[in-house]
Amino acid sequence: MPELPEVEVVRRGLVRWVRGRTITSVDVLDPRSIRRHALGTQDFVGNLEGATVADVVRRGKFLWMPLLDTTHGAAAPPPVALMAHLGMSGQLLMQDTNAPDEKHLKVRLRLSPGDGMPEQLRFVDQRIFGGLFVTDMVPTDDGGPGGLAESPLPLIAEEASHIARDPLDPAFSFENFFSRLRKRKTGLKRALLDQGLVSGIGNIYADEALWRAKLHYAKPTDKLRRADAAGLVDCAREVMLDALAAGGTSFDSLYVNVNGASGYFDRSLNAYGREGQPCGRCAAVGINSPIRREQFMNRSSYTCPVCQPRPRNGRW
DNA sequence: AACGCGACCTGCGAGC
DNA sequence: TGCTCGCAGGTCGCGT
């Protein structure tokens, strides 16, 4: 379930293995994994073969590799990037040629030789919600992709240009977020999950951030107090930094593994997936308050009924 | 603009 | 045992 921390773990792991290497050949084993590439498999492969990976960059949960077209010279326009979205179950793995194909191997990229580096970058995806595609790079007026990558180009992958900055991005602006949030007439969790307002937060970390901030998911955004919004952003940032720290332990593996944060999921969730189990914060002061699960936005939301009370004036 | 919903997928566990 | 069903998740696009 990759959200921002998992994608950032993948980006950090990937960059050291692929930056500066040239894609020599591409196997598309399941065209469904490149269905967002509108021009089809042949065009996808043609765009990649002979191109050199300049960097690995992230905006929210979108991850892309700006490409240098070595067959036409580095300056040949228009600039493009190989985009990856992990969806639900996507993985990017560095593998040696003799490693057996993974059960859900979808796309194989062979790379030019690197010093002691695996020859292949593989996209593995069980549920096929994720995928790869080639996208144009377009100018951006907000200073580049950001994320935690150092980004030399004032360009952003077109398919990620509608995505807002995430709370860990040094260029994230709370004032900008807060003013846009207040103009929305919706509930807090719906806003948190809107990648155009603030990015990187999925269902799990939304529930965790709301729990930490002691806020209910349906609290109206248009009257939210500044202090509550600031607290919520701080909590989202803390949750993601904790998960990032947990995932960071697998950095020197050859495998760029989205399950790197599984230890975090096992140990550290306070609300998500804990239906019926006591709220730890309430238990610490002697209150037994089982976590409640509700359907919201066609998915589960987990809250503590005591420390995350429903808004009294909310519309129900 | 906001929002609900279906589509896209597979694997797993519960229940019959 | 074998079947069906619900559920899990992120994003996009469409209808209201």
Side-chain angles (χ1 to χ4, degrees):
Chain A
M1 298 142 280
E3 299 185 25
L4 182 150
E6 292 73 34
V7 180
E8 176 61 14
V9 167
V10 171
R11 191 199 67 76
R12 290 181 185 180
L14 201 54
V15 66
R16 58 186 280 210
W17 299 113
V18 302
R19 184 155 58 189
R21 297 177 76 182
T22 297
I23 299 167
T24 56
S25 70
V26 179
D27 295 341
V28 177
L29 290 89
D30 187 341
R32 292 177 299 177
S33 287
I34 63 160
R35 64 176 179 272
R36 284 190 70 176
H37 189 89
L39 297 179
T41 301
Q42 201 176 345
D43 185 83
F44 176 78
V45 173
N47 268 282
L48 295 181
E49 288 183 349
T52 296
V53 177
D55 202 356
V56 186
V57 186
R58 179 181 65 74
R59 174 68 75 94
K61 303 170 197 167
F62 285 82
L63 186 73
W64 66 92
M65 296 167 235
L67 300 176
L68 301 173
D69 184 349
T70 51
T71 61
H72 297 98
V80 296
L82 171 59
M83 174 71 83
H85 198 292
L86 302 176
M88 277 289 299
S89 53
Q91 294 173 283
L92 288 164
L93 306 176
M94 297 302 304
Q95 292 282 41
D96 288 315
T97 301
N98 59 10
D101 287 3
E102 291 75 10
K103 184 179 179 187
H104 299 293
L105 177 61
K106 302 300 182 184
V107 180
R108 183 202 326 272
L109 307 182
R110 293 187 189 82
L111 303 174
S112 56
D115 187 19
M117 293 182 175
E119 299 89 352
Q120 298 186 3
L121 172 59
R122 299 182 181 181
F123 182 71
V124 178
D125 191 9
Q126 177 200 114
R127 297 186 197 176
I128 327 187
F129 272 33
L132 304 181
F133 53 97
V134 176
T135 178
D136 289 338
M137 299 284 284
V138 298
T140 175
D141 58 2
D142 71 351
L148 300 182
E150 62 279 15
S151 49
L153 301 172
L155 297 174
I156 189 168
E158 186 170 33
E159 299 281 335
S161 59
H162 64 296
I163 302 296
R165 290 183 183 273
D166 65 72
L168 299 185
D169 190 326
F172 176 84
S173 163
F174 172 75
E175 290 306 321
N176 180 46
F177 167 74
F178 182 60
S179 69
R180 294 184 63 203
L181 182 71
R182 291 270 302 204
K183 287 173 191 151
R184 301 287 178 99
K185 288 191 70 71
T186 188
L188 208 40
K189 181 169 177 180
R190 203 182 290 278
L192 274 187
L193 294 175
D194 183 344
Q195 304 297 302
L197 184 64
V198 56
S199 72
I201 303 172
N203 195 44
I204 296 169
Y205 294 146
D207 278 4
E208 290 300 304
L210 287 163
W211 180 87
R212 286 199 191 201
K214 302 185 186 180
L215 294 170
H216 191 273
Y217 61 78
K219 199 166 178 69
T221 53
D222 58 343
K223 295 185 181 66
L224 194 71
R225 290 183 302 162
R226 171 182 295 270
D228 282 340
L232 181 59
V233 169
D234 285 344
C235 289
R237 196 178 281 125
E238 287 170 15
V239 169
M240 293 196 289
L241 283 173
D242 285 355
L244 201 48
T249 58
S250 60
F251 275 176
D252 27 14
S253 168
L254 281 186
Y255 301 90
V256 180
N257 193 338
V258 299
N259 297 322
S262 62
Y264 180 79
F265 288 117
D266 293 343
R267 291 190 307 271
S268 305
L269 296 180
N270 289 299
Y272 183 86
R274 300 193 68 245
E275 182 181 19
Q277 300 175 54
C279 167
R281 188 166 47 206
C282 290
V285 293
I287 301 169
N288 178 31
S289 173
I291 296 292
R292 174 176 59 195
R293 179 168 82 94
E294 294 163 289
Q295 285 301 117
F296 175 69
M297 288 179 75
N298 254 342
R299 57 189 62 182
S300 294
S301 283
Y302 298 87
T303 54
C304 169
V306 172
C307 53
Q308 296 172 272
R310 285 172 185 262
R312 284 188 298 270
N313 300 320
R315 289 172 294 277
W316 291 94

